[in-house]
Amino acid sequence: MNETKAREAICAIGASIFNRGLTAGSSGNISVRVEGGWLMTPTNASLGRLDPARLAKLDDSGRLIAGDPPTKESFLHRVMYEERSDTGAVVHLHSTHSVAVSCLAEVDPTDVLPPITAYYVMRVGRLPLVPYYRPGDIALAEAVRGFAGRHHAVLLANHGPVVAGANLDAAVNAIEELEETARLYLMLRGAKTRFLTPAQVKELL
Ligand SMILES: [Zn+2]
């Protein structure tokens, strides 16, 4: 994707995410790999009101070369690109249902959500829970790094999901699938439920 198209796509998808209530206020951030570096949403910017011309442009070493300063959570994105060479885009949201699940005491931290649907298994797969760290703590980046090589999607405890994809559409589709699955999981809690069996999951992977 060329840089102009990437800038427009980030703003269009940001508005779509914001307008559907998938992240609120100035939370959530998006990055896309482009020739010579990355485009990233700016710090304190609402995904609902992004300006293509003001997106942060970082060079290959992560230095700001144009636009507004990048999100303070840029390290979450950098870790994904560094650990997963096939990454073309990263999306991080404070999406309500995923955050709710990230706060539950009894989830399996090695795989937070059960295999409810085939699409969740195919687009997200195993979802590890990254322990809580305060915002800005560099230890969070290192904790995410520990999972990023094996997982393109992680859930930060009491915070929200981070998802990498080969391109922006793939990353957005996966994080939306994750959020919908978190919503279904909360709806089904307490009800006797048939999840996909290990054999059915294996067939999809
Ligand atoms: Zn965040």
Side-chain angles (χ1 to χ4, degrees), residues 41-126:
T41 50
T43 184
N44 293 325
S46 165
L47 290 191
R49 296 181 294 278
L50 294 170
D51 178 348
R54 291 180 61 181
L55 296 177
K57 171 90 184 276
L58 310 179
D59 68 12
D60 284 321
S61 61
R63 205 161 46 93
L64 180 67
I65 50 174
D68 290 346
T71 167
K72 291 192 186 74
E73 297 182 308
S74 62
F75 63 88
L76 295 174
H77 297 249
R78 292 301 306 277
V79 164
M80 281 293 186
Y81 291 107
E82 284 167 11
E83 299 299 316
R84 306 186 66 82
S85 58
D86 60 344
T87 298
V90 176
V91 181
H92 165 56
L93 301 176
H94 297 176
S95 41
T96 307
H97 301 88
S98 305
V99 177
V101 167
S102 84
C103 302
L104 293 175
E106 79 276 26
V107 294
D108 174 0
T110 69
D111 193 11
V112 180
L113 287 167
I116 297 177
T117 67
Y119 284 96
Y120 175 76
V121 172
M122 292 187 289
R123 287 187 172 144
V124 178
R126 285 183 81 84

Coordinates of all heavy atoms in Angstrom, one line a residue, residues 41-126:
T41 N -0.8 6.6 14.6 CA -1.7 7.6 15.0 C -1.0 8.5 16.1 O -0.2 7.9 16.9 CB -3.0 7.0 15.5 OG1 -2.7 5.9 16.4 CG2 -3.8 6.4 14.4
P42 N -1.3 9.8 16.2 CA -0.6 10.7 17.1 C -1.1 10.5 18.5 O -2.2 9.9 18.8 CB -1.0 12.1 16.6 CG -1.5 11.9 15.2 CD -2.1 10.5 15.2
T43 N -0.3 11.0 19.5 CA -0.6 11.0 20.9 C -1.8 11.9 21.1 O -2.0 12.9 20.5 CB 0.6 11.4 21.7 OG1 0.2 11.3 23.1 CG2 1.1 12.8 21.5
N44 N -2.7 11.5 22.0 CA -3.9 12.2 22.4 C -4.9 12.5 21.3 O -5.6 13.5 21.3 CB -3.5 13.6 23.1 CG -2.8 13.4 24.4 OD1 -3.2 12.5 25.1 ND2 -1.8 14.2 24.7
A45 N -4.8 11.7 20.2 CA -5.7 11.9 19.1 C -6.9 10.9 19.2 O -6.7 9.7 19.5 CB -5.0 11.7 17.8
S46 N -8.1 11.4 18.9 CA -9.2 10.5 18.9 C -9.2 9.8 17.5 O -9.0 10.4 16.5 CB -10.5 11.3 19.0 OG -11.6 10.4 18.6
L47 N -9.4 8.4 17.5 CA -9.5 7.7 16.3 C -10.6 8.2 15.4 O -10.6 8.0 14.2 CB -9.6 6.2 16.5 CG -8.4 5.4 17.1 CD1 -8.7 3.9 17.0 CD2 -7.1 5.8 16.5
G48 N -11.6 8.9 16.0 CA -12.8 9.4 15.3 C -12.5 10.6 14.4 O -13.2 11.0 13.6
R49 N -11.4 11.3 14.8 CA -11.1 12.6 14.1 C -9.6 12.7 13.7 O -8.9 13.7 14.0 CB -11.5 13.7 15.1 CG -12.9 13.8 15.4 CD -13.3 15.0 16.3 NE -12.7 14.8 17.7 CZ -13.2 14.1 18.6 NH1 -14.3 13.4 18.5 NH2 -12.6 14.0 19.8
L50 N -9.1 11.7 13.0 CA -7.7 11.7 12.5 C -7.6 12.6 11.2 O -8.5 12.6 10.4 CB -7.3 10.3 12.3 CG -7.2 9.4 13.5 CD1 -6.9 8.0 13.0 CD2 -6.1 9.9 14.4
D51 N -6.4 13.2 11.1 CA -6.1 14.0 9.9 C -5.0 13.3 9.2 O -3.9 13.1 9.8 CB -5.7 15.4 10.4 CG -5.3 16.3 9.2 OD1 -5.1 15.8 8.1 OD2 -5.1 17.5 9.5
P52 N -5.2 12.9 7.9 CA -4.2 12.1 7.2 C -2.8 12.8 7.2 O -1.8 12.2 7.2 CB -4.8 12.0 5.8 CG -6.2 12.3 5.9 CD -6.4 13.1 7.1
A53 N -2.9 14.2 7.1 CA -1.6 14.9 7.0 C -0.8 15.0 8.3 O 0.3 15.3 8.3 CB -1.9 16.3 6.5
R54 N -1.5 14.7 9.4 CA -0.9 14.9 10.8 C -0.5 13.6 11.4 O 0.1 13.6 12.5 CB -1.8 15.7 11.7 CG -1.9 17.2 11.2 CD -2.8 18.0 12.1 NE -2.3 18.0 13.5 CZ -2.9 18.7 14.5 NH1 -4.1 19.2 14.2 NH2 -2.4 18.7 15.7
L55 N -0.7 12.5 10.7 CA -0.2 11.2 11.3 C 1.3 11.2 11.5 O 2.0 11.8 10.7 CB -0.6 10.0 10.4 CG -2.1 9.8 10.1 CD1 -2.3 8.7 9.1 CD2 -2.8 9.4 11.4
A56 N 1.7 10.5 12.6 CA 3.2 10.5 12.8 C 3.8 9.6 11.8 O 3.3 8.5 11.5 CB 3.4 9.9 14.2
K57 N 4.9 10.1 11.2 CA 5.7 9.2 10.3 C 7.1 9.0 11.0 O 7.8 9.9 11.4 CB 6.0 10.0 9.0 CG 6.9 9.3 8.0 CD 6.3 8.3 7.1 CE 7.3 7.5 6.3 NZ 7.7 8.3 5.0
L58 N 7.4 7.7 11.2 CA 8.6 7.3 11.9 C 9.5 6.6 10.9 O 9.0 5.9 10.0 CB 8.3 6.3 13.0 CG 7.2 6.7 14.0 CD1 7.0 5.6 15.1 CD2 7.6 8.0 14.7
D59 N 10.8 6.8 11.0 CA 11.7 6.2 10.1 C 12.0 4.7 10.6 O 11.5 4.3 11.6 CB 13.0 7.0 9.9 CG 13.9 7.1 11.1 OD1 13.7 6.3 12.1 OD2 14.8 7.9 11.1
D60 N 12.9 4.0 9.9 CA 13.1 2.6 10.3 C 13.7 2.4 11.7 O 13.6 1.3 12.3 CB 14.1 2.0 9.2 CG 13.4 1.6 7.9 OD1 12.2 1.2 8.0 OD2 13.9 1.8 6.9
S61 N 14.3 3.5 12.2 CA 14.8 3.4 13.6 C 13.8 3.9 14.6 O 14.1 3.9 15.8 CB 16.2 4.1 13.7 OG 15.9 5.5 13.4
G62 N 12.6 4.3 14.2 CA 11.6 4.7 15.1 C 11.6 6.2 15.4 O 10.9 6.7 16.3
R63 N 12.4 7.0 14.7 CA 12.6 8.4 14.9 C 11.4 9.1 14.2 O 11.1 8.8 13.0 CB 13.9 8.9 14.4 CG 14.5 10.1 15.1 CD 16.0 10.2 14.8 NE 16.3 9.9 13.4 CZ 16.4 10.8 12.4 NH1 16.3 12.1 12.7 NH2 16.7 10.4 11.2
L64 N 10.8 10.1 14.8 CA 9.8 10.9 14.2 C 10.4 11.8 13.1 O 11.3 12.6 13.4 CB 9.1 11.8 15.3 CG 7.9 12.7 14.8 CD1 6.7 11.8 14.4 CD2 7.5 13.7 15.9
I65 N 9.9 11.6 11.9 CA 10.4 12.5 10.8 C 9.4 13.4 10.2 O 9.7 14.3 9.5 CB 11.1 11.6 9.7 CG1 10.1 10.5 9.2 CG2 12.4 11.0 10.1 CD1 10.6 9.7 8.0
A66 N 8.1 13.2 10.5 CA 7.0 14.1 10.0 C 5.8 13.9 10.9 O 5.6 12.8 11.4 CB 6.8 13.9 8.6
G67 N 4.9 14.9 10.9 CA 3.6 14.8 11.6 C 3.7 15.1 13.1 O 4.8 15.5 13.6
D68 N 2.6 14.8 13.7 CA 2.5 15.0 15.2 C 3.3 13.8 15.9 O 3.5 12.7 15.3 CB 1.1 15.0 15.6 CG 0.3 16.2 15.2 OD1 1.0 17.2 14.8 OD2 -0.9 16.2 15.2
P69 N 3.7 14.0 17.2 CA 4.3 12.9 17.9 C 3.4 11.7 18.0 O 2.2 11.8 18.1 CB 4.5 13.5 19.3 CG 4.5 15.0 19.1 CD 3.6 15.2 18.0
P70 N 4.0 10.5 17.9 CA 3.2 9.3 17.9 C 2.6 9.0 19.3 O 3.0 9.5 20.3 CB 4.2 8.2 17.5 CG 5.5 8.7 18.1 CD 5.4 10.2 17.9
T71 N 1.6 8.1 19.3 CA 1.0 7.6 20.5 C 2.0 7.2 21.5 O 3.1 6.7 21.2 CB 0.1 6.4 20.2 OG1 -0.2 5.7 21.4 CG2 0.8 5.3 19.3
K72 N 1.7 7.5 22.8 CA 2.7 7.1 23.9 C 2.8 5.5 24.0 O 3.7 5.0 24.6 CB 2.2 7.6 25.2 CG 2.3 9.1 25.3 CD 2.1 9.6 26.7 CE 2.1 11.1 26.8 NZ 0.8 11.7 26.3
E73 N 1.8 4.8 23.3 CA 1.9 3.3 23.3 C 2.6 2.8 22.1 O 2.4 1.6 21.8 CB 0.4 2.8 23.4 CG -0.2 3.2 24.7 CD -1.6 2.6 24.9 OE1 -2.4 2.8 24.0 OE2 -1.9 2.0 25.9
S74 N 3.4 3.6 21.4 CA 4.1 3.2 20.2 C 4.9 2.0 20.5 O 5.1 1.2 19.6 CB 4.9 4.3 19.6 OG 5.9 4.7 20.5
F75 N 5.5 1.8 21.7 CA 6.3 0.7 22.0 C 5.6 -0.7 21.8 O 6.2 -1.7 21.4 CB 6.9 0.8 23.4 CG 5.9 0.8 24.5 CD1 5.5 -0.4 25.0 CD2 5.4 1.9 25.0 CE1 4.6 -0.5 26.1 CE2 4.4 1.9 26.0 CZ 4.0 0.7 26.5
L76 N 4.3 -0.7 22.0 CA 3.5 -1.9 21.8 C 3.5 -2.3 20.3 O 3.6 -3.5 20.0 CB 2.0 -1.7 22.2 CG 1.7 -1.4 23.7 CD1 0.2 -1.1 23.9 CD2 2.1 -2.7 24.5
H77 N 3.5 -1.3 19.5 CA 3.5 -1.5 18.0 C 4.9 -2.0 17.6 O 5.1 -3.0 16.9 CB 3.2 -0.3 17.3 CG 1.8 0.2 17.5 ND1 0.8 0.1 16.6 CD2 1.2 0.7 18.7 CE1 -0.4 0.6 17.1 NE2 -0.1 1.0 18.4
R78 N 5.9 -1.3 18.1 CA 7.3 -1.6 17.7 C 7.7 -3.0 18.1 O 8.4 -3.7 17.3 CB 8.3 -0.6 18.4 CG 8.2 0.8 17.9 CD 8.5 0.9 16.4 NE 9.7 0.3 16.0 CZ 10.9 0.9 16.1 NH1 11.0 2.1 16.5 NH2 12.0 0.3 15.8
V79 N 7.3 -3.5 19.2 CA 7.6 -4.8 19.7 C 7.0 -5.8 18.7 O 7.7 -6.8 18.3 CB 7.1 -5.1 21.1 CG1 7.1 -6.5 21.4 CG2 8.0 -4.3 22.1
M80 N 5.8 -5.6 18.2 CA 5.2 -6.5 17.3 C 5.9 -6.6 16.0 O 6.2 -7.6 15.4 CB 3.7 -6.1 17.0 CG 2.7 -6.5 18.1 SD 2.6 -8.3 18.2 CE 1.3 -8.6 19.4
Y81 N 6.3 -5.4 15.4 CA 7.1 -5.4 14.2 C 8.4 -6.0 14.4 O 8.9 -6.7 13.5 CB 7.3 -3.9 13.7 CG 6.0 -3.3 13.2 CD1 5.4 -2.3 13.9 CD2 5.5 -3.6 12.0 CE1 4.2 -1.7 13.5 CE2 4.3 -3.0 11.5 CZ 3.7 -2.0 12.3 OH 2.5 -1.5 11.8
E82 N 9.1 -5.8 15.5 CA 10.4 -6.4 15.7 C 10.4 -7.9 15.9 O 11.3 -8.6 15.4 CB 11.0 -5.7 17.0 CG 11.5 -4.3 16.8 CD 11.8 -3.6 18.1 OE1 11.9 -4.2 19.2 OE2 12.0 -2.4 18.0
E83 N 9.3 -8.4 16.5 CA 9.3 -9.8 16.8 C 8.6 -10.6 15.7 O 8.7 -11.8 15.6 CB 8.6 -10.1 18.1 CG 9.3 -9.5 19.3 CD 10.7 -10.0 19.5 OE1 10.9 -11.2 19.4 OE2 11.6 -9.2 19.7
R84 N 7.8 -9.9 14.8 CA 7.1 -10.6 13.7 C 7.4 -9.9 12.4 O 6.8 -8.9 12.1 CB 5.6 -10.6 14.0 CG 5.2 -11.1 15.4 CD 3.7 -11.1 15.5 NE 3.1 -12.1 14.7 CZ 3.0 -13.4 14.9 NH1 3.5 -13.9 16.0 NH2 2.5 -14.2 14.0
S85 N 8.2 -10.5 11.6 CA 8.7 -9.8 10.4 C 7.6 -9.7 9.3 O 7.7 -8.9 8.4 CB 9.9 -10.6 9.8 OG 9.5 -11.9 9.6
D86 N 6.6 -10.6 9.4 CA 5.5 -10.5 8.4 C 4.4 -9.5 8.8 O 3.3 -9.4 8.2 CB 4.8 -11.9 8.3 CG 4.2 -12.4 9.6 OD1 4.5 -11.9 10.7 OD2 3.4 -13.4 9.5
T87 N 4.7 -8.6 9.8 CA 3.7 -7.6 10.2 C 3.6 -6.4 9.3 O 4.7 -5.8 9.1 CB 3.9 -7.2 11.7 OG1 3.8 -8.4 12.5 CG2 2.9 -6.2 12.2
G88 N 2.4 -6.1 8.8 CA 2.2 -4.9 8.0 C 1.4 -3.8 8.7 O 1.4 -2.7 8.3
A89 N 0.7 -4.2 9.8 CA -0.1 -3.2 10.6 C -0.3 -3.8 12.0 O -0.3 -5.0 12.2 CB -1.4 -3.0 9.8
V90 N -0.5 -2.8 12.9 CA -0.8 -3.2 14.3 C -2.0 -2.3 14.8 O -2.0 -1.1 14.5 CB 0.4 -3.0 15.2 CG1 0.0 -3.3 16.7 CG2 1.5 -4.0 14.8
V91 N -2.9 -2.9 15.5 CA -4.1 -2.1 16.0 C -4.2 -2.5 17.5 O -4.1 -3.6 17.9 CB -5.4 -2.5 15.3 CG1 -6.5 -1.6 15.9 CG2 -5.3 -2.2 13.8
H92 N -4.3 -1.4 18.4 CA -4.5 -1.6 19.8 C -5.7 -0.8 20.2 O -5.9 0.4 19.8 CB -3.3 -1.1 20.6 CG -3.5 -0.9 22.0 ND1 -4.0 -1.9 22.8 CD2 -3.3 0.2 22.8 CE1 -4.1 -1.4 24.1 NE2 -3.7 -0.1 24.1
L93 N -6.7 -1.4 20.9 CA -7.9 -0.8 21.3 C -8.2 -1.0 22.8 O -7.7 -1.9 23.4 CB -9.1 -1.3 20.5 CG -9.1 -1.2 19.0 CD1 -10.3 -1.9 18.4 CD2 -9.0 0.2 18.5
H94 N -9.0 0.0 23.4 CA -9.5 -0.2 24.7 C -11.0 -0.6 24.5 O -11.9 0.0 25.0 CB -9.4 1.0 25.5 CG -8.0 1.5 25.8 ND1 -7.6 2.6 26.4 CD2 -6.8 0.9 25.5 CE1 -6.3 2.7 26.5 NE2 -5.8 1.7 25.9
S95 N -11.2 -1.7 23.8 CA -12.6 -2.1 23.4 C -13.2 -2.8 24.6 O -12.7 -3.7 25.2 CB -12.5 -3.1 22.2 OG -11.5 -4.0 22.3
T96 N -14.5 -2.4 24.9 CA -15.1 -2.6 26.2 C -15.1 -4.1 26.6 O -14.7 -4.4 27.7 CB -16.5 -2.1 26.2 OG1 -16.5 -0.7 25.8 CG2 -17.2 -2.2 27.6
H97 N -15.6 -5.0 25.7 CA -15.8 -6.4 26.1 C -14.5 -7.1 26.3 O -14.3 -7.9 27.2 CB -16.7 -7.1 25.1 CG -18.0 -6.4 25.0 ND1 -18.3 -5.4 24.1 CD2 -19.2 -6.6 25.7 CE1 -19.5 -5.0 24.3 NE2 -20.1 -5.8 25.2
S98 N -13.5 -6.7 25.4 CA -12.2 -7.3 25.6 C -11.5 -6.9 26.9 O -10.9 -7.7 27.6 CB -11.2 -6.9 24.4 OG -11.8 -7.2 23.2
V99 N -11.7 -5.6 27.2 CA -11.1 -5.1 28.5 C -11.8 -5.8 29.7 O -11.2 -6.2 30.6 CB -11.3 -3.6 28.6 CG1 -10.8 -3.1 30.0 CG2 -10.5 -2.8 27.5
A100 N -13.2 -6.0 29.6 CA -13.9 -6.7 30.7 C -13.3 -8.0 30.9 O -13.0 -8.5 32.0 CB -15.4 -6.7 30.3
V101 N -13.1 -8.8 29.8 CA -12.6 -10.1 29.9 C -11.2 -10.1 30.5 O -10.8 -11.0 31.3 CB -12.6 -10.9 28.5 CG1 -11.8 -12.1 28.5 CG2 -14.0 -11.2 28.1
S102 N -10.4 -9.1 30.2 CA -9.0 -9.0 30.6 C -8.9 -8.7 32.1 O -7.9 -8.8 32.7 CB -8.2 -7.8 29.9 OG -8.5 -6.6 30.5
C103 N -10.1 -8.4 32.8 CA -10.1 -8.1 34.2 C -10.7 -9.3 35.0 O -10.6 -9.3 36.2 CB -11.1 -6.9 34.5 SG -10.6 -5.4 33.7
L104 N -11.2 -10.3 34.3 CA -11.8 -11.5 35.0 C -10.7 -12.3 35.7 O -9.6 -12.5 35.2 CB -12.5 -12.4 34.0 CG -13.8 -11.8 33.3 CD1 -14.3 -12.8 32.3 CD2 -14.8 -11.5 34.4
A105 N -11.0 -12.7 36.9 CA -10.0 -13.4 37.8 C -9.8 -14.8 37.3 O -8.7 -15.3 37.5 CB -10.5 -13.4 39.2
E106 N -10.8 -15.5 36.7 CA -10.6 -16.9 36.6 C -10.3 -17.4 35.2 O -10.3 -18.6 34.9 CB -11.9 -17.6 37.0 CG -13.1 -17.6 36.0 CD -13.9 -16.3 36.1 OE1 -13.4 -15.3 36.6 OE2 -15.1 -16.4 35.7
V107 N -9.9 -16.5 34.3 CA -9.5 -16.9 32.9 C -8.2 -17.6 32.9 O -7.4 -17.4 33.8 CB -9.5 -15.7 31.9 CG1 -10.9 -15.1 31.7 CG2 -8.5 -14.7 32.3
D108 N -8.0 -18.4 31.8 CA -6.7 -19.1 31.6 C -5.7 -18.1 31.0 O -5.9 -17.7 29.9 CB -7.0 -20.3 30.7 CG -5.6 -21.0 30.3 OD1 -4.6 -20.6 30.7 OD2 -5.7 -22.0 29.5
P109 N -4.7 -17.7 31.7 CA -3.8 -16.7 31.2 C -3.0 -17.1 29.9 O -2.5 -16.3 29.2 CB -2.8 -16.4 32.3 CG -2.9 -17.5 33.2 CD -4.3 -18.2 33.1
T110 N -3.0 -18.4 29.7 CA -2.3 -18.9 28.4 C -3.2 -18.9 27.2 O -2.7 -18.9 26.1 CB -1.7 -20.3 28.6 OG1 -2.8 -21.2 28.7 CG2 -0.9 -20.4 29.9
D111 N -4.5 -18.8 27.5 CA -5.5 -18.7 26.3 C -6.8 -18.2 26.9 O -7.6 -19.0 27.4 CB -5.6 -20.1 25.7 CG -6.3 -20.1 24.4 OD1 -6.5 -19.0 23.9 OD2 -6.7 -21.2 23.9
V112 N -7.0 -16.9 26.8 CA -8.0 -16.3 27.6 C -9.4 -16.7 27.2 O -10.3 -16.9 28.0 CB -7.9 -14.7 27.5 CG1 -8.9 -14.0 28.3 CG2 -6.5 -14.3 28.0
L113 N -9.7 -16.7 25.9 CA -11.1 -17.0 25.4 C -11.2 -18.4 24.8 O -10.3 -18.9 24.1 CB -11.5 -16.0 24.3 CG -11.7 -14.6 24.8 CD1 -11.8 -13.6 23.6 CD2 -13.0 -14.5 25.6
P114 N -12.3 -19.1 25.1 CA -12.5 -20.4 24.5 C -12.8 -20.3 23.0 O -13.2 -19.3 22.5 CB -13.7 -20.9 25.3 CG -14.5 -19.7 25.7 CD -13.5 -18.6 25.9
P115 N -12.7 -21.5 22.3 CA -13.0 -21.5 20.9 C -14.5 -21.5 20.6 O -15.1 -22.5 20.5 CB -12.3 -22.8 20.4 CG -12.3 -23.6 21.6 CD -12.2 -22.8 22.8
I116 N -15.1 -20.3 20.6 CA -16.6 -20.2 20.5 C -17.0 -20.4 19.0 O -17.9 -21.1 18.7 CB -17.1 -18.8 21.0 CG1 -16.8 -18.7 22.5 CG2 -18.6 -18.7 20.8 CD1 -17.2 -17.4 23.2
T117 N -16.2 -19.7 18.1 CA -16.6 -19.8 16.7 C -15.3 -20.2 15.9 O -14.2 -19.9 16.3 CB -17.2 -18.5 16.1 OG1 -16.1 -17.5 16.1 CG2 -18.4 -18.0 16.9
A118 N -15.6 -20.7 14.7 CA -14.5 -21.0 13.7 C -13.7 -19.7 13.4 O -12.5 -19.8 13.3 CB -15.0 -21.7 12.5
Y119 N -14.4 -18.6 13.1 CA -13.7 -17.4 12.7 C -12.8 -16.9 13.8 O -11.7 -16.4 13.5 CB -14.7 -16.3 12.2 CG -15.2 -16.7 10.9 CD1 -16.4 -17.4 10.7 CD2 -14.5 -16.5 9.7 CE1 -16.9 -17.8 9.5 CE2 -14.9 -16.9 8.5 CZ -16.1 -17.5 8.4 OH -16.5 -17.9 7.1
Y120 N -13.2 -17.0 15.0 CA -12.3 -16.6 16.1 C -11.0 -17.4 16.1 O -9.9 -16.9 16.2 CB -13.0 -16.7 17.5 CG -12.0 -16.4 18.6 CD1 -11.7 -15.1 18.9 CD2 -11.4 -17.4 19.3 CE1 -10.7 -14.8 19.9 CE2 -10.5 -17.1 20.3 CZ -10.2 -15.8 20.6 OH -9.2 -15.5 21.5
V121 N -11.2 -18.8 15.9 CA -10.0 -19.7 15.9 C -9.1 -19.3 14.7 O -7.9 -19.3 14.9 CB -10.5 -21.1 15.8 CG1 -9.3 -22.1 15.6 CG2 -11.2 -21.5 17.1
M122 N -9.7 -19.0 13.6 CA -8.8 -18.7 12.4 C -8.2 -17.4 12.4 O -7.1 -17.2 12.0 CB -9.7 -18.9 11.1 CG -10.1 -20.3 10.9 SD -10.9 -20.6 9.3 CE -12.5 -19.8 9.6
R123 N -8.9 -16.4 12.9 CA -8.3 -15.0 12.9 C -7.5 -14.6 14.1 O -6.7 -13.8 14.1 CB -9.5 -14.0 12.7 CG -10.0 -14.0 11.3 CD -11.0 -12.9 11.1 NE -11.4 -12.9 9.7 CZ -12.6 -12.6 9.3 NH1 -13.6 -12.3 10.1 NH2 -12.9 -12.6 8.0
V124 N -7.8 -15.2 15.3 CA -7.1 -14.9 16.5 C -6.3 -16.1 17.0 O -5.1 -15.9 17.3 CB -8.1 -14.4 17.6 CG1 -7.4 -14.0 18.9 CG2 -8.8 -13.1 17.1
G125 N -6.9 -17.2 17.2 CA -6.2 -18.4 17.7 C -6.0 -18.3 19.2 O -6.9 -17.8 19.9
R126 N -4.9 -18.7 19.7 CA -4.6 -18.7 21.1 C -4.3 -17.2 21.5 O -3.6 -16.5 20.9 CB -3.4 -19.5 21.5 CG -3.7 -21.0 21.5 CD -2.4 -21.8 22.0 NE -2.3 -21.8 23.4 CZ -2.9 -22.6 24.2 NH1 -3.7 -23.6 23.7 NH2 -2.7 -22.6 25.5

